Amino acid sequence: MPVIPPQQLVALQSTPQNIRNICILAHVDHGKTSLSDGLLSSNGIISPKLAGQVRYLDSREDEQLRGITMQSSAISLFFRTLKAPPPETPDAPPTATDHLINLIDSPGHIDFSSEVSTASRLCDGALVLVDVVEGVCSQTITVLRQAWLEKIRPVLVLNKLDRLFTELRLSSAEAAAHLNKVVEQVNAVMGSFFAGERMEEDLKWREEKERRKAAGELTEEEFEEKDDEDIYFEPSKGNVIFASAIDGWAFRLSQFAQLYAPKLGVKPENLQKVLWGDYYLDPKTKRVLQARHLKGRNLKPMFVQFVMDNVHAVYQNTVVERDTEMVEKIVKALGVKILPRDLRAKDARITLTSIMSQWLPLSTSVLLAVIQELPSPLAAQSARIQSMLEEAPGAEAIDQEVKQSMLACNANGPVMAYVSKMVAVPEDELPRNKRRQLTADEMREQGRLQREQRERQVREARERAERAEAEANGVPLEEAMQKVSLTDAPTEAQVAEGEDAVEMSEEEEFMDENKEHMVGFSRIYSGTVSVGDELLVMGPKYNPAQPDRHVSRVTITDLYLLMGRELVALDKVPAGNVFGVGGLEGKVLKNGTICSVQGGGVNLAGVNLGSAPIVRVALEPADPRDMPKLVDGLKLLNQADPCVEVLVQDTGEHVILTAGELHLERCLKDLRERFAKVEIYSSKPIVPFKETIVKAPEMAPLKEGVEKRGEAVTTISSEKVGVKIRTRPLPAAVTEYLVKNAASFQRMFKHEQQQVSVGETTTALDGDIVEDEETLQTEKYLSKEELKAGLEEAFADKENDDKFEWKGIVDKIVAFGPKRIGPNLLVDSTSENWMRKAFHGDSEEDRARQSGALTARDFEDYLYTGFQIATLRGPLCHEPVQGIVCYVEDVTVQDEVDENGKSVLRSQMGQISGQFMTVVRDAIRQGFLQWSPRLLLAMYSVDIQASTDVLGKVYGVVARRRGRIVAEEMKEGTPFFSVKAVFPVVESFGFSDDIRKKTSGAASPQLIFNGFEMLDIDPFWVPTTEEELEDLGELAERENVAKNYMDAVRRRKGLFVERRLVKGAEKQRTLKR
């Protein structure tokens, strides 16, 4: 097919009913980019013979090397449909309709799931690919859930059907049964989403009913059940495509229905309904039978007879068993034209691709399904926008004109566009810096002008020569030549100036080439954006109720049509299109909303980007003088990557947080080669740990004078102020509740409690990821009363021990820590009960300071701060503490009043306060160490697809990395096992490469962050019994994994690590000579 000029695509942007915005979603290596290549070949962008090999949308070098997609790419495609004339006028020509398809190819690797989130918000439909051999995998469920949450309509593509015939060697009946199971698996996932949503709506309905009943409102409304028929995939409905992207073919049942309907004398739509499922054709009566009417006859299902037998025959005779005569018969029967060289090709795949791509072309089937099954922006926005507006912050303050314009996809209404991410584009790849391809007329005109210029130069040179000859008459030749040369030769100053100009131009050109520009990856929902427009940019924290905050003005400098690796400049973009926008540098960090209305705009930027990044690395330049370049490069990286986080720690270190090892490699490569362009040293990955305590038999005996375990009494150096604190572990149910509702606690304290000096920032520190309240707009917050009731219920759990001690504890809670919201409690257990309570604040009169002698109340804020410090950096390795409760039993103050009635200690309060905070921290740490301490490890859940012959090697790799197998199951009809395991993040680096090497590439892992898990080993445990000493040695260094982890973190942070420098030393002696 000839190349489609961009002008033809631009012309279609003004007809939203003929536009489709779609994304391709799938698990890694399920064929997304190969499918994209097949669609691109239909527009002449790449050769059909190279489709599946070029990987055109994988524009990065590392994407091509690894063979996986790392960032989402967009491209616009043209597709023309022909509609047959009505029966009344059969001789009339068919009606042609041109369509514009904006396609986004997204990554499938879990490390780049944020790219899927940004792509799905821009689209109205999705092609969900599933490898028919591997079936539904972990990331398949993730992308289906993303499509469900974004309310985009999916079409299922069952890809890699060729593997059923070439690898598994299934018969056509076995292949059909296998396909049926895969469709059932996908539908089971969709059904679980529907059931979860239905249960949530039922709960809301019951709560509303109870509320009305309590208010005395009589109502007999019943719960309205939703129909779930439209959410499932059914090949007979047309929303399932059978394909082999690598071989260039695909089909839907409608194609075979139209093929066989005239022969069977039925309507195509009726035949399509029975081509899938347990339907059989009676060869004698030509009637369709169900299974119960077979009466013992051995008939093939219609799907096998009419569809799979034909496909199987092609593969059987071309690839599995090469039968040239049979291939020629198949080619003649199908009516396709195959070149003789393709028929005689040594590579059977060439013959196969030539036949199948002409018989069942991939692009036709897929793009026709996109046009028929997926909605246009007009239809999609009327269905999706309402829910998006309801979920947006400050929904009640949204302008009605904006709302109606977005629902109607009105190109003449106010501008409302969503910028999903920022993409870094080199200066030399922008359209204004690229040489435009000339048309034939322009090339002819350019050639004519060049010929005229050459003729003019020749004529002028001849005239100069004649003048020189005339002037030289009567003058010696040497003198004339000297005169000419002196006149024409440049001076030394001109030469130097010219050299400087050349050097400057080369330097400027080099700088311009290396400069990166940020382009917004956007979707416009209403209005029309034009170059030069001055619009408003709203950040992710924007709320229409506060229209003056988080808003800035921006002038649109460039608009682009996204064409994969290339950009095409545009003058304007109407509603319903996906486009690139320039001029947002410094205005949009990662995502935002563009609007033309001063107040009442919609914040579309509240997209959940999946799991928070967990792997962190400290960076520094190889040459310290390059630090400014590194800082600028980190700013660009932070903009260009939607998932990465860039931090500057208290120590001044520049730290990046990434989603995984592969994501980290990509970020470092971008920094070195594109953004900073300097050599960078990176530390070993910094993995977060947490510290906790448990009650265990091996706990050390109590020291003399200590009445209860965890009790500590400490005083400042002058012994004028002291504190008594008792520390003990929290019940597991309470800790889990506190972790789960951290955002609600943060919101409660932000509005109701004064800010304190410690834990003020909500930036991620030491692995404890805490998000700001305004960025958690999608979270459901609990009120103070609900939080209190939930805590009381957690403390009253049946599995909790010492229930008497937990009775009434919620009313005595003073603070949560660290950062005011962590899973640790500070409880007032003093006899006077004088401390402020978290759920019952005291009045200002009670808090007023007195001018007399100091009392315990004067040290309350410092006690609170000491608790925050102690829980932020635990005693083991300065990692956050989780699951402890600290009882403040007494605070003693020995102060005196001088003759003027003033406190003696008050003048020393600056020094005493600092000492007191340290004393509180030390008391909590002493109590902590009286229990049995434990480390909490960040854990990965790994899904591994492996064949039976490498299963043992997979188990070996997992075991060496201190992991454990959680589940394994064999996928029916395949030789593959699905293995699920968990192992520590700290042991995960190099895991993917290791398992691929050990299994020769036969196993592919997928790592997902799975929270924290306790390592049930005391870091301070040493062998004591004779058997332990004999088996493990005196120190048991190789067996105490927790101590090794603890020492490694302490060594990294510069803390003291106890170690023996000399082992088994002997007295030096000098031998006699």
Side-chain angles (χ1 to χ4, degrees):
M1 185 174 179
V3 179
I4 305 298
Q7 296 78 9
Q8 192 171 352
L9 299 174
V10 174
L12 293 173
Q13 290 188 330
S14 303
T15 55
Q17 65 272 17
N18 293 336
I19 297 175
R20 299 294 185 272
N21 298 312
I22 65 168
C23 55
I24 302 181
L25 308 175
H27 188 78
V28 65
D29 286 335
H30 278 205
K32 297 180 296 300
T33 308
S34 298
L35 179 71
S36 303
D37 276 2
L39 301 182
L40 267 57
S41 66
S42 68
N43 276 226
I45 298 173
I46 61 175
S47 167
K49 292 187 177 181
L50 296 177
Q53 303 172 25
V54 175
R55 302 179 62 85
Y56 183 83
L57 293 180
D58 286 352
S59 54
R60 295 171 56 96
E61 182 183 352
D62 47 359
E63 287 180 322
Q64 292 285 348
L65 288 174
R66 289 181 177 271
I68 63 171
T69 305
M70 295 187 185
Q71 65 179 16
S72 51
S73 304
I75 196 164
S76 296
L77 302 176
F78 171 84
F79 186 65
R80 175 173 291 169
T81 58
L82 297 176
K83 188 177 181 180
E88 299 82 29
T89 56
D91 298 332
T95 307
T97 307
D98 294 342
H99 296 272
L100 174 65
I101 298 173
N102 296 314
L103 173 72
I104 301 177
D105 180 25
S106 63
H109 197 281
I110 187 66
D111 281 10
F112 310 108
S113 58
S114 58
E115 295 277 353
V116 179
S117 304
T118 57
S120 59
R121 175 58 68 94
L122 300 177
C123 300
D124 303 318
L127 295 174
V128 180
L129 271 70
V130 176
D131 184 337
V132 293
V133 174
E134 295 186 5
V136 175
C137 299
S138 57
Q139 196 66 2
T140 310
I141 300 174
T142 303
V143 298
L144 282 170
R145 183 181 292 109
Q146 188 69 36
W148 177 270
L149 294 175
E150 291 290 345
K151 294 180 171 53
I152 59 179
R153 190 181 299 174
V155 166
L156 179 64
V157 181
L158 298 178
N159 196 24
K160 301 191 180 182
L161 260 72
D162 56 292
R163 296 182 66 188
L164 298 179
F165 306 123
T166 58
E167 292 183 22
L168 302 185
R169 301 295 176 94
L170 301 182
S171 65
S172 54
E174 291 169 339
H178 184 84
L179 292 174
N180 192 30
K181 289 177 183 176
V182 175
V183 174
E184 288 178 358
Q185 288 177 5
V186 180
N187 284 335
V189 174
M190 299 300 293
S192 66
F193 298 155
F194 178 80
E197 188 176 271
R198 191 258 180 215
M199 291 173 65
E200 187 177 348
E201 290 177 353
D202 183 44
L203 180 61
K204 289 180 182 178
W205 176 79
R206 291 179 185 278
E207 290 175 352
E208 180 67 17
K209 186 177 180 181
E210 292 293 333
R211 187 191 64 78
R212 290 185 178 183
K213 188 176 180 181
E217 300 178 16
L218 296 177
T219 178
E220 295 184 358
E221 293 181 5
E222 293 187 0
F223 181 73
E224 185 178 348
E225 294 282 358
K226 287 185 179 179
D227 186 12
D228 63 343
E229 184 180 355
D230 294 336
I231 70 169
Y232 296 115
F233 298 105
E234 181 72 26
S236 57
K237 293 180 181 177
N239 60 1
V240 177
I241 302 172
F242 303 88
S244 172
I246 196 68
D247 289 337
W249 61 269
F251 67 86
R252 289 190 300 159
L253 293 187
S254 57
Q255 293 174 249
F256 283 91
Q258 291 172 353
L259 178 65
Y260 287 106
K263 298 179 181 178
L264 298 176
V266 296
K267 293 182 179 179
E269 53 270 21
N270 293 337
L271 180 58
Q272 183 177 335
K273 293 177 182 177
V274 295
L275 274 181
W276 180 261
D278 292 331
Y279 295 100
Y280 305 83
L281 181 67
D282 190 331
K284 295 180 180 178
T285 62
K286 302 295 182 183
R287 296 182 60 186
V288 176
L289 306 176
Q290 292 183 342
R292 62 176 180 271
H293 298 135
L294 288 180
K295 298 179 181 178
R297 287 182 290 177
N298 187 20
L299 299 180
K300 290 182 180 180
M302 294 181 69
F303 179 67
V304 176
Q305 181 181 357
F306 292 112
V307 180
M308 296 305 292
D309 277 351
N310 295 319
V311 178
H312 180 263
V314 177
Y315 273 90
Q316 186 68 24
N317 293 288
T318 54
V319 179
V320 181
E321 298 174 1
R322 192 72 182 265
D323 189 339
T324 309
E325 293 182 5
M326 195 65 189
V327 169
E328 291 177 355
K329 291 181 181 179
I330 291 174
V331 169
K332 186 176 180 181
L334 295 177
V336 295
K337 296 181 180 179
I338 307 298
L339 295 175
R341 67 182 181 195
D342 290 340
L343 278 175
R344 294 192 300 268
K346 293 182 179 180
D347 187 356
R349 283 280 179 177
I350 296 177
T351 307
L352 173 74
T353 305
S354 301
I355 296 172
M356 297 298 289
S357 60
Q358 289 190 49
W359 178 37
L360 302 170
L362 173 77
S363 58
T364 304
S365 300
V366 175
L367 295 181
L368 199 58
V370 167
I371 298 299
Q372 294 176 351
E373 300 298 325
L374 299 182
S376 67
L378 283 176
Q381 290 187 201
S382 61
R384 287 182 66 205
I385 292 296
Q386 188 62 41
S387 61
M388 288 170 59
L389 296 179
E390 291 172 357
E391 295 171 1
E396 62 281 351
I398 295 173
D399 188 284
Q400 287 300 313
E401 183 184 359
V402 172
K403 185 176 179 180
Q404 295 302 323
S405 182
M406 291 179 70
L407 287 168
C409 192
N410 183 9
N412 299 319
V415 174
M416 188 60 62
Y418 168 57
V419 182
S420 70
K421 68 171 184 174
M422 302 295 287
V423 181
V425 180
E427 169 85 20
D428 56 353
E429 292 187 11
L430 294 176
R432 61 173 177 264
N433 298 325
K434 279 197 168 186
R435 184 178 296 174
R436 188 173 63 87
Q437 188 174 1
L438 301 177
T439 63
D441 293 338
E442 290 173 333
M443 292 172 68
R444 282 192 289 271
E445 178 65 18
Q446 190 177 27
R448 186 183 63 80
L449 294 174
Q450 288 176 351
R451 284 193 301 274
E452 290 180 358
Q453 185 178 1
R454 282 197 299 271
E455 291 172 0
R456 193 184 310 113
Q457 290 174 348
V458 170
R459 191 165 54 250
E460 291 174 355
R462 188 182 296 114
E463 291 175 356
R464 283 198 303 271
E466 291 174 355
R467 282 198 303 270
E469 185 179 355
E471 291 175 359
N473 289 335
V475 180
L477 182 60
E478 292 79 2
E479 186 179 346
M481 292 297 294
Q482 186 178 5
K483 182 177 179 181
V484 172
S485 62
L486 288 173
T487 306
D488 296 340
T491 64
E492 291 183 7
Q494 290 174 331
V495 170
E497 184 180 351
E499 289 177 354
D500 292 342
V502 169
E503 289 179 3
M504 288 177 63
S505 63
E506 288 179 354
E507 184 179 353
E508 288 175 1
E509 183 180 355
F510 177 75
M511 290 176 62
D512 288 342
E513 281 183 1
N514 290 339
K515 188 177 179 182
E516 297 277 346
H517 287 264
M518 305 306 295
V519 175
F521 201 41
S522 313
R523 159 78 183 267
I524 182 167
Y525 289 95
S526 70
T528 301
V529 179
S530 303
V531 175
D533 284 355
E534 186 174 336
L535 301 172
L536 299 173
V537 172
M538 304 178 296
K541 300 180 182 180
Y542 173 79
N543 192 319
Q546 300 170 333
D548 299 329
R549 297 184 59 192
H550 307 294
V551 177
S552 58
R553 289 197 171 273
V554 66
T555 300
I556 305 300
T557 58
D558 300 285
L559 294 171
Y560 303 108
L561 178 69
L562 303 171
M563 293 296 292
R565 307 178 187 185
E566 299 179 359
L567 300 174
V568 178
L570 300 174
D571 295 325
K572 63 178 182 177
V573 179
N577 286 283
V578 175
F579 66 104
V581 56
L584 302 182
E585 295 182 59
K587 303 293 184 180
V588 175
L589 179 59
K590 291 181 182 290
N591 58 359
T593 310
I594 301 175
C595 182
S596 61
V597 180
Q598 178 63 42
V602 184
N603 182 3
L604 298 170
V607 181
N608 180 22
L609 297 181
S611 59
I614 189 69
V615 178
R616 58 173 57 206
V617 164
L619 304 177
E620 62 177 356
D623 185 349
R625 292 174 296 181
D626 291 332
M627 180 57 78
K629 294 182 180 179
L630 175 61
V631 173
D632 293 340
L634 287 172
K635 290 178 182 177
L636 284 172
L637 176 67
N638 196 28
Q639 271 195 295
D641 195 312
C643 189
V644 76
E645 290 184 19
V646 178
L647 307 174
V648 180
Q649 290 190 327
D650 298 338
T651 57
E653 283 184 308
H654 291 272
V655 173
I656 60 171
L657 280 82
T658 60
E661 189 179 4
L662 185 59
H663 187 207
L664 173 63
E665 286 183 28
R666 191 191 79 174
C667 292
L668 293 177
K669 181 179 175 66
D670 283 347
L671 273 175
R672 291 188 179 108
E673 298 179 3
R674 296 182 60 189
F675 300 139
K677 295 187 176 70
V678 296
E679 184 57 37
I680 296 170
Y681 292 151
S682 59
S683 68
K684 289 184 179 180
I686 305 168
V687 177
F689 291 84
K690 291 189 178 180
E691 304 177 17
T692 190
I693 51 177
V694 295
K695 186 177 180 180
E698 71 272 9
M699 292 186 296
L702 296 178
K703 295 181 179 179
E704 187 177 349
V706 178
E707 298 177 359
K708 295 182 179 179
R709 185 170 294 277
E711 188 177 271
V713 180
T714 54
T715 60
I716 64 173
S717 57
S718 64
E719 298 186 356
K720 295 290 185 181
V721 184
V723 64
K724 181 180 180 182
I725 296 178
R726 182 166 61 89
T727 305
R728 67 159 300 163
L730 271 175
V734 179
T735 305
E736 184 180 347
Y737 181 82
L738 292 172
V739 172
K740 183 180 177 181
N741 295 288
S744 296
F745 282 108
Q746 183 183 25
R747 185 171 182 264
M748 180 180 80
F749 286 112
K750 185 167 185 177
H751 293 297
E752 299 185 10
Q753 198 174 26
Q754 292 182 347
Q755 294 182 338
V756 292
S757 58
V758 174
E760 203 58 42
T761 179
T762 56
T763 307
L765 182 62
D766 290 328
D768 197 12
I769 308 299
V770 181
E771 298 184 33
D772 187 62
E773 175 231 340
E774 293 179 84
T775 65
L776 293 170
Q777 298 291 352
T778 56
E779 293 281 339
K780 181 187 176 184
Y781 293 119
L782 301 179
S783 65
K784 179 190 278 192
E785 293 74 19
E786 290 173 325
L787 287 172
K788 183 181 177 184
L791 261 181
E792 290 173 344
E793 185 179 343
F795 274 112
D797 192 276
K798 294 179 181 179
E799 297 182 2
N800 295 346
D801 56 351
D802 300 336
K803 290 183 181 178
F804 179 75
E805 182 171 349
W806 307 124
K807 189 174 181 180
I809 190 175
V810 176
D811 293 325
K812 297 180 181 180
I813 294 176
V814 175
F816 301 84
K819 304 178 184 178
R820 298 181 294 156
I821 58 171
N824 306 287
L825 302 180
L826 181 66
V827 175
D828 183 3
S829 190
T830 58
S831 55
E832 296 87 0
N833 201 24
W834 50 268
M835 301 179 73
R836 283 174 292 183
K837 307 300 184 293
F839 293 103
H840 306 283
D842 295 340
S843 63
E844 288 298 322
E845 291 79 5
D846 296 337
R847 309 310 319 151
R849 292 185 181 275
Q850 304 297 326
S851 59
L854 289 176
T855 63
R857 279 195 169 186
D858 292 295
F859 292 91
E860 181 179 0
D861 289 341
Y862 308 118
L863 177 63
Y864 175 89
T865 304
F867 167 73
Q868 298 292 339
I869 295 172
T871 52
L872 184 62
R873 293 183 173 89
L876 299 183
C877 49
H878 282 200
E879 292 288 321
V881 176
Q882 175 174 306
I884 68 168
V885 56
C886 301
Y887 294 95
V888 180
E889 297 188 342
D890 192 17
V891 175
T892 58
V893 181
Q894 300 176 21
D895 192 12
E896 298 176 357
V897 179
D898 60 13
E899 61 274 7
N900 296 325
K902 293 184 178 180
S903 167
V904 175
L905 292 180
R906 194 174 295 278
S907 61
Q908 307 171 19
M909 197 61 182
Q911 178 184 358
I912 293 174
S913 61
Q915 291 183 11
F916 185 73
M917 287 188 287
T918 305
V919 160
V920 173
R921 182 199 67 187
D922 293 344
I924 294 174
R925 288 183 175 179
Q926 289 176 26
F928 184 100
L929 294 174
Q930 291 179 23
W931 297 87
S932 186
R934 295 288 187 272
L935 283 177
L936 294 173
L937 308 183
M939 302 296 288
Y940 270 141
S941 170
V942 56
D943 290 322
I944 306 171
Q945 303 283 339
S947 55
T948 51
D949 53 337
V950 298
L951 208 55
K953 296 177 181 178
V954 169
Y955 284 13
V957 174
V958 172
R960 277 196 300 275
R961 294 178 178 267
R962 308 189 196 283
R964 68 178 189 277
I965 305 297
V966 176
E968 64 169 10
E969 59 179 9
M970 188 171 188
K971 291 184 174 290
E972 274 190 70
T974 73
F976 292 98
F977 271 85
S978 177
V979 180
K980 188 168 186 178
V982 292
F983 63 94
V985 175
V986 70
E987 300 283 355
S988 67
F989 302 103
F991 174 76
S992 298
D993 291 339
D994 191 15
I995 202 167
R996 287 194 186 100
K997 287 177 184 176
K998 291 290 189 295
T999 62
S1000 303
S1004 54
Q1006 189 85 338
L1007 302 175
I1008 305 168
F1009 180 60
N1010 197 37
F1012 286 82
E1013 188 176 295
M1014 183 189 296
L1015 178 62
D1016 198 13
I1017 301 176
D1018 189 339
F1020 301 112
W1021 175 83
V1022 291
T1024 52
T1025 65
E1026 291 184 5
E1027 294 155 356
E1028 291 173 345
L1029 287 168
E1030 184 178 344
D1031 292 341
L1032 306 176
E1034 187 178 345
L1035 297 177
E1037 290 177 345
R1038 285 174 293 181
E1039 296 299 323
N1040 196 335
V1041 181
K1043 186 177 189 304
N1044 294 340
Y1045 288 151
M1046 181 183 75
D1047 288 347
V1049 177
R1050 291 184 69 88
R1051 203 174 290 115
R1052 172 171 58 82
K1053 294 185 176 182
L1055 303 175
F1056 173 73
V1057 178
E1058 184 179 353
R1059 55 179 177 168
R1060 294 177 63 181
L1061 297 177
V1062 179
K1063 296 181 182 179
E1066 296 180 355
K1067 183 179 178 180
Q1068 182 178 357
R1069 59 195 180 93
T1070 305
L1071 297 175
K1072 291 182 180 180
R1073 292 183 179 178

